[in-house]
Amino acid sequence: MSELTFDHEYVEGSASAPVLLLLHGTGGSPADIVSLGKELSPSSPMLAPAGPVTERGAARWFRRHAEGVFDTEDVIYRAGQLADFVVEAREHYGLGGRRLVATGFSNGANIAAAAVLLRPDVLAEAVLFAAMLPVPDPPHHDLSASRVLMVNGRRDPMAPLAPAQELAAVLRERGADVTEHWHSGGHQITVDGLAEAKGWLGR
């Protein structure tokens, strides 16, 4: 559908399950990330927008200057755009004050993290697979109502240990409740990471 800011897929679900805002990684698609959503919480309503930026034919959420070097201004702009989309979609699909959890992988996790840091009025819960700090020195918003699960690999060349730990520290400094799960793999979603996310969503 394209009535809202982003092209997206919407999957109806149970009124008792959290709404999942599903954010694909570089080169991914809404259909790809809906498959992950169905593994995490099959009864949830699912909102899966398509990244608005293209890099060599691959869909992304924001521009970058090089591998691991983000265009900070674009990250900030796109995080605001995503937050506005969530507000629109809540009204469009009658989701009202329902619990909504942003769930993203890689580039999708980074834009989710940016939105949690920059727009906590809209996104207060997130499951981040392979995320790292998306913006240097983000504003000191009060994140005491925010709850984040970070699932990262200790051997991930795309989201290295230091910038991933920096994200966790920045979130905690601003009051967020942060749970970290570290697996021994690389840039991937592991079985144990998926199990951790399922448990976290249910808490």
Side-chain angles (χ1 to χ4, degrees), residues 119-179:
R119 291 291 301 274
D121 57 313
V122 175
L123 284 178
E125 281 194 273
V127 175
L128 308 176
F129 292 99
M132 56 184 180
L133 186 65
V135 286
D137 192 27
H140 281 264
H141 292 312
D142 177 8
L143 302 186
S144 57
S146 300
R147 184 169 172 258
V148 176
L149 171 65
M150 291 181 57
V151 181
N152 283 73
R154 295 190 181 278
R155 298 186 177 88
D156 188 346
M158 305 282 287
L161 199 62
Q165 290 176 327
E166 191 177 5
L167 171 59
V170 163
L171 287 164
R172 287 194 178 105
E173 283 168 7
R174 287 153 179 76
D177 175 357
V178 181
T179 301

Side-chain angles (χ1 to χ4, degrees), residues 27-116:
S29 70
D32 297 337
I33 200 74
V34 163
S35 298
L36 172 64
K38 288 179 177 176
E39 288 191 64
L40 279 176
S41 182
S43 63
S44 282
M46 298 177 199
L47 184 62
V53 173
T54 302
E55 180 183 271
R56 293 191 290 276
R60 281 179 56 82
W61 287 100
F62 53 81
R63 294 193 297 267
R64 58 183 170 182
H65 300 300
E67 187 78 39
V69 183
F70 303 153
D71 180 333
T72 301
E73 286 187 9
D74 199 52
V75 175
I76 293 168
Y77 171 70
R78 299 298 179 182
Q81 196 178 33
L82 177 62
D84 291 343
F85 168 78
V86 171
V87 173
E88 292 173 2
R90 275 191 180 279
E91 182 175 355
H92 184 82
Y93 291 111
L95 299 173
R98 293 275 302 273
R99 180 188 177 198
L100 183 142
V101 182
T103 304
F105 171 67
S106 188
N107 185 238
N110 290 333
I111 195 63
V116 168

